[in-house]
Amino acid sequence: MPKSALPDTKSFPELKITKVEPFLLRAKIDTPIVTSFGTIPERAVLMVRVEDEDGSFGWGEVFGNFPAHGAENRDFLIRDYLSSIVVGAIWPDPVAAFEEMTSRTHIMALQGGEPGPFAQAIAGVDIALWDLLARKLNQPLWQLFGGNRSAVPTYGSGLNPEGFEGIVEQKLDEGYNAFKIKIGFGRERDFAALNLLRKLIGERRMMVDVNQGWDAETACQNWTDYSAFDLGWIEEPLPADRPLDEWKRIADEGGSPIAAGENLLGDLQFDSFIDAGVLGIIQPDICKWGGFSKVFPLARRVLEAGQCYCPHFLAGPIGILASAHCLAAAGGDGILEIDINPNPLRDHITGGLPSIEDGVMRLPDSPGLGMEPDPAAIEKFRVR
């Protein structure tokens, strides 16, 4: 998709950024999040606030929920490198700032072996810059990007393989009608979880996430039996760096569609998967790579290829809202991922997410993301 997929910013105000400030928050949780590759023992949210010379501001969020202290690393990348690039320059639009941040830190990322962390930090700043611009223009972000709807379908995500009954029952009462559970723990444990979840939700939509936990042989052996649970998709059956011919082997099995994308990095990787046609659902994480400047054009490319764009996200409220605005603007049949595990940061930083009615979340109609963090909540949970 050419750059024209993004809003024409020629008539928009220039941005002269005077401050870029990260906010790292942490909260204890009673039950760790369990995946096939490891656990997340507490919740972390890394937000970033940008401000321009007239006092206007915007908020973004950076991926930082794994490894355990990955958020601290991204915090320092913003403080030590990105802030000095963005502050003081006059930017015609956020895309120009994204390209400059990416170009100026490219060799640093290679030298330190950290293309992912730098990309994640840049994504958070990019989201904040777009939020700032939309606030200055008095438009919600979905509208700024040319969307024609202010609501998106959702699904409840992040379910551990055991102990999820109470969460699912609560979320059914709150209006959720689709759920995703983590698997990749062996057939006996996986099937017990899938049978129980299916019993709880009936014929509602159900998806699974292997979290890169199988190899190609295991995936092919499992595909038919797991697909028998009538799954909307099977997510990340392979490590993201496995060659496309392995993904094609799985796709040739038929059954449930393959979903992946949260661990792909850059246009070249995404476009190779789009062109190969092996994924039914493509899941970029707007806080992990690209921000709006890259993920929105990517979403449009996905849709033009006849595939489904479903944003990935599993952290705080700013990232969820950014994902929701991008999905609402891009269109298509994708659904918004909302982590439904207990998370004080998600629930208290902005006063909670918009309510879900019959599986659908309506976005705020106020400018930008439509929400901003509560200063008192920030101070309660802030560690940096």
Side-chain angles (χ1 to χ4, degrees), residues 61-188:
E61 185 172 339
V62 180
F63 174 87
N65 61 23
F66 194 88
H69 291 92
E72 278 79 357
N73 168 263
R74 284 69 163 170
D75 177 283
F76 279 112
L77 294 181
I78 294 171
R79 293 177 186 275
D80 295 344
Y81 302 104
L82 301 185
S83 178
S84 62
I85 295 171
V86 175
V87 170
I90 298 176
W91 303 106
D93 54 40
V95 179
F98 179 94
E99 292 174 345
E100 185 71 8
M101 286 187 286
T102 301
S103 175
R104 294 266 296 275
T105 60
H106 177 64
I107 302 303
M108 298 178 191
L110 295 178
Q111 184 70 27
E114 294 196 296
F118 269 100
Q120 293 156 21
I122 291 168
V125 176
D126 180 84
I127 293 167
L129 291 171
W130 280 105
D131 183 39
L132 164 63
L133 179 60
R135 289 174 189 269
K136 290 172 76 77
L137 294 168
N138 199 35
Q139 294 183 55
L141 273 161
W142 65 265
Q143 189 177 72
L144 177 66
F145 281 91
N148 56 17
R149 60 176 181 173
S150 61
V152 291
T154 66
Y155 70 96
S157 176
L159 292 173
N160 284 347
E162 288 106 10
F164 55 79
E165 298 93 324
I167 295 173
V168 170
E169 290 168 354
Q170 176 188 344
K171 295 304 174 181
L172 286 170
D173 288 343
E174 292 178 8
Y176 285 77
N177 61 11
F179 296 86
K180 186 174 77 181
I181 190 167
K182 294 183 177 297
I183 61 168
F185 305 98
R187 284 194 169 209
E188 182 178 355

Side-chain angles (χ1 to χ4, degrees), residues 270-329:
F270 275 106
D271 287 343
S272 68
F273 273 82
I274 293 172
D275 292 343
V278 293
L279 302 179
I281 295 91
I282 298 182
Q283 303 169 299
D285 188 318
I286 199 169
C287 298
K288 206 168 190 180
W289 169 78
F292 281 103
S293 291
K294 285 292 187 177
V295 171
F296 179 72
L298 169 61
R300 298 295 294 272
R301 294 200 302 276
V302 169
L303 296 175
E304 286 194 352
Q307 295 161 40
C308 183
Y309 161 61
C310 284
H312 171 273
F313 191 68
L314 198 83
I318 299 297
I320 293 174
L321 286 169
S323 302
H325 279 276
C326 195
L327 177 60

